Amino acid sequence: MKRLLPILMLSLLLWSCDPGFNQYCMIRNDADQPVDVIPAGYRIARNYELDTTDTIYNQPFTLAAGEDTMAVYDGGIGAADLDNAHMQMVYFFGDSVIFRFADGCLRIYHATDTLGNSPYNPLAPAYTWEEKVGKPWAGHTYFGQLTFTIDNSQHPAANHQ
């Protein structure tokens, strides 16, 4: 029993220090007009622990000028990660996403559009990543936020002047 006590104490200490994280995937509208964000279709979420599958329909929404919203939240045990956040955004957008500006103009991106300012391009200048590091120990990324910003440069008329 005396040998078991230190092992139990060490296990309890390690278990209580499981690092957690919060990760937000945001969409911001910096255009001069409201924009409807219309993601394509749905995605399948599999829970292996419960042996269940859920179908998640990604609903369209409208962002007023200067407004932002959370498209996806991820969190739990582990660490925030830029690559994972971008993957979550791509899951949200689906096979394609439409940005419909209030004046009726549409900007349509497909999953195969992986260059330029496309939301499917992880290196797009429209993406910004913020993170906080250090809890419960140095080097652990306990918070991350990936933001995709829609602006006037994505308006179809901006490309035809």
Side-chain angles (χ1 to χ4, degrees), residues 3-159:
R3 291 182 185 171
L4 186 57
L5 187 57
I7 293 172
L8 286 173
M9 294 297 286
L10 181 60
S11 296
L12 183 60
L13 178 65
L14 291 174
W15 177 71
S16 66
C17 293
D18 284 345
F21 75 102
N22 290 304
Q23 183 169 278
Y24 303 124
C25 297
M26 307 291 291
I27 301 175
R28 176 163 180 75
N29 178 12
D30 278 350
D32 294 336
Q33 56 187 303
V35 175
D36 296 327
V37 177
I38 307 167
Y42 60 92
R43 63 185 170 103
I44 305 297
R46 175 89 175 138
N47 184 328
Y48 291 98
E49 291 177 12
L50 299 176
D51 196 29
T52 60
T53 302
D54 291 324
T55 303
I56 299 169
Y57 292 94
N58 298 323
Q59 299 296 315
F61 55 87
T62 302
L63 287 172
E67 185 178 66
D68 60 17
T69 191
M70 185 184 322
V72 180
Y73 167 79
D74 191 16
I77 302 293
D81 178 73
L82 173 58
D83 292 335
N84 177 268
H86 185 260
M87 180 183 68
Q88 295 291 330
M89 287 290 265
V90 169
Y91 285 158
F92 173 77
F93 290 131
D95 290 338
S96 63
V97 62
I98 300 169
F99 298 147
R100 182 174 53 205
F101 291 81
D103 63 5
C105 288
L106 303 176
R107 166 66 72 192
I108 302 171
Y109 292 102
H110 299 278
T112 55
D113 299 332
T114 57
L115 300 174
N117 221 5
S118 167
Y120 298 97
N121 176 5
L123 303 175
Y127 276 115
T128 56
W129 172 252
E130 302 170 47
E131 64 182 35
K132 295 180 183 174
V133 179
K135 290 182 182 176
W137 56 77
H140 176 251
T141 307
Y142 65 92
F143 174 82
Q145 179 173 308
L146 181 65
T147 303
F148 184 83
T149 302
I150 302 165
D151 61 21
N152 291 329
S153 71
Q154 292 168 317
H155 189 284
N159 298 317

